[in-house]
């Protein structure tokens, strides 16, 4: 995976404010690069240095196998939730999401960047695009040698 893409994903995640979320696909759209799986791969391998819980699946489910830890963050940040996640104690990591019956209310919690935020996002996207430009190719020099 390109270092430019990894850095761009992490920069976008750093911009998501407390109590807000974006889906993996939202981040790919903002970057105009990759897709949800590529963003998920970056988060899986490099996301521990950023507020990873603010990136959810399109249906509002938290990152796989991080339900309990994510729920603690959502409660602390007053992130909008659907189901029983809004009250009671966090479940153990081994319990399934279906048993917990909660998810992020992505309609209410999705980050809506301001004009100033879009300036920052455009800069990230532009740097990413510049980093993936192919190197200029030079035409070979003509020569008069005969190769046998």
């Amino acid at each position: 995976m390109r270092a430019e893409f990894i850095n761009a994903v992490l920069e976008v995640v750093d911009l998501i404010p407390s109590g807000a979320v974006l889906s993996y696909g939202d981040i790919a759209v903002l970057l105009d690069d990759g897709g949800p799986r590529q963003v998920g791969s970056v988060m899986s391998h490099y996301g521990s240095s950023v507020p990873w819980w603010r990136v959810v699946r399109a249906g509002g489910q938290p990152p796989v196998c991080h339900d309990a830890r994510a729920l603690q963050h959502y409660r602390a940040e007053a992130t909008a939730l659907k189901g029983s996640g809004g009250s009671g104690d966090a479940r153990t990591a081994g319990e399934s999401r279906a048993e917990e019956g909660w998810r992020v209310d992505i309609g209410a919690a999705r980050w809506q960047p301001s004009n100033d935020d879009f300036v920052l996002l455009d800069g990230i996207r532009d740097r990413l695009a510049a980093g993936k430009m192919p190197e200029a190719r030079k035409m070979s020099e003509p020569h008069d040698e005969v190769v046998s």
Side-chain angles (χ1 to χ4, degrees), residues 50-120:
V50 295
W52 54 266
W53 59 92
R54 296 181 187 157
V55 183
V56 298
R57 291 183 278 166
Q61 299 89 352
V64 175
C65 299
H66 296 289
D67 305 21
R69 287 179 53 215
L71 183 57
Q72 292 171 353
H73 288 288
Y74 299 144
R75 287 180 178 156
E77 295 182 357
T79 305
L81 300 174
K82 288 184 175 181
S84 63
S87 61
D89 295 329
R91 310 275 182 180
T92 63
E95 292 185 70
S96 75
R97 199 167 289 96
E99 291 171 337
E100 293 177 359
W102 68 272
R103 63 183 178 184
V104 172
D105 183 347
I106 197 162
R110 180 178 274 133
W111 179 40
Q112 301 298 320
S114 68
N115 287 336
D116 289 341
D117 294 325
F118 273 116
V119 169
L120 296 172

Side-chain angles (χ1 to χ4, degrees), residues 1 3 8 10 13 15 22 24 29 32 58 73 75 78 86 97 100 117 120 122 125-126 128 131 134 137 139 146 148:
M1 193 166 299
L10 298 177
V13 175
L15 292 176
L22 287 177
Y24 297 101
V29 168
D32 197 26
H73 288 288
R75 287 180 178 156
R97 199 167 289 96
E100 293 177 359
D117 294 325
L120 296 172
D122 288 345
R125 187 187 63 239
D126 292 347
L128 174 60
R137 295 183 183 207
M139 295 181 71
V146 175
S148 38

Side-chain angles (χ1 to χ4, degrees), residues 142-147:
H143 54 80
D144 293 330
E145 294 178 25
V146 175
V147 179

Side-chain angles (χ1 to χ4, degrees), residues 3-13 27 31 124-125 128:
E4 295 89 358
F5 183 74
I6 294 166
N7 291 332
V9 168
L10 298 177
E11 283 184 65
V12 170
V13 175
I27 293 173
L31 291 174
I124 294 167
R125 187 187 63 239
L128 174 60

